[in-house]
Amino acid sequence: MEEMKEIQHKLLRVNGINMHIAEMGQGPIVLFLHGFPELWYSWRYQMPFMAGHGYRAVAPDLRGFGDTTGALNDDFTKFTTLHVVGDIVELLNILSPDQEKVFVVGHDWGAMIAWALCLYRPDKVKALVNMSVPFTPRNPIVRPIARLRATYGDEYYIIRFQEPGEIEEEFAQIGTKTVLEKLLTNRNPEPLKLPKGKPFDKSPVKLPPWLTEKEVDYYATKYEQTGFTGGLNYYRALDLNWELTAPWTGAKIKVPVKFIVGDLDITYNAAGVEDYIHKGGLKKDVPLLEDVVILKGVAHFLQQEKPDEVNKHIHAFLQGFSSSD
């Protein structure tokens, strides 16, 4: 990927942390928000494409990830959606003090942060393309962790991520690169279970055509430096998010949205999600939802697995709101 050389890297002082951003191109800002276990690098196919079509592509390493430093990784209470959206709002104030609204593209936790950004600060977002994780309205009765444990049991990955240090120790024994290979190449649409003491089977990983050894090495190098705790803190703050977001119970997402998900994605196959997306629930909570795209035979990391298709979907949607070509 020759275009990768044109991506510029900066460190910005943002909301009390040092945020690393990658950026490329000129024009209306498209802010790309990654998930776990990802980095800005997950958008390596989208950034040159959007830059080539007259946009300024910006992809930060979120709080706790990659080359973004300064967050207290040993304190998961500093990783609520309010903290992370705070980082994003300040980043946008720095990048574009005069540009009121920007385009946002999110995936996985980046999608959840993008939903939260639209909930807390819709004045910042012109239009949103979100992937993998649909909007989840707050349930005022049941806390998220209790609901997930009751639905999927104690081996469910989000439950296994809850105890600080525990899964990190298991991942350390397996090795950073192997853990990343197992997570990035998982195509099983069933709920992800990580049994205690042996979260993954011993079978060697055969990398798919869309993921090279060199790409895995990039992720592994960064996670070797930072560890997994920063990313895991997002899961550990789920119940705290629930407490803090009580004022937004029943609030709707009021920005134009396109939603994209693979039919093999574990999120799409989670309990009740397919019906919620297709039978009016998502449209009710996201009234300006304009399009839902289901990519056939595609798993969770869709923007890396099917970059050309995803790029076209992003561009086609954003075109409708922009004077860029």
Side-chain angles (χ1 to χ4, degrees), residues 74-90:
D74 58 354
D75 183 359
F76 73 82
T77 68
K78 300 290 189 280
F79 287 79
T80 69
T81 54
L82 290 164
H83 288 87
V84 185
V85 169
D87 299 342
I88 299 303
V89 169
E90 183 57 19

Side-chain angles (χ1 to χ4, degrees), residues 258-277:
K258 179 175 193 165
F259 182 70
I260 311 172
V261 65
D263 67 348
L264 297 179
D265 197 318
I266 56 169
T267 57
Y268 184 64
N269 291 278
V273 169
E274 193 175 345
D275 280 354
Y276 173 68
I277 290 171

Side-chain angles (χ1 to χ4, degrees), residues 156-214:
Y156 187 57
Y157 75 105
I158 294 177
I159 304 303
R160 291 279 281 114
F161 287 172
Q162 290 306 303
E163 186 58 44
E166 192 176 276
I167 198 78
E168 287 97 325
E169 205 171 296
E170 293 182 30
F171 282 178
Q173 287 168 10
I174 296 162
T176 301
K177 187 173 179 181
T178 302
V179 169
L180 288 164
E181 286 176 340
K182 291 284 188 183
L183 292 172
L184 291 169
T185 62
N186 178 42
R187 299 185 70 72
N188 182 353
E190 298 298 312
L192 178 60
K193 302 286 180 81
L194 302 176
K196 209 163 189 174
K198 48 176 188 332
F200 303 109
D201 62 36
K202 290 284 200 305
S203 62
V205 175
K206 186 179 185 300
L207 293 181
W210 57 268
L211 189 64
T212 67
E213 194 80 32
K214 190 177 172 189

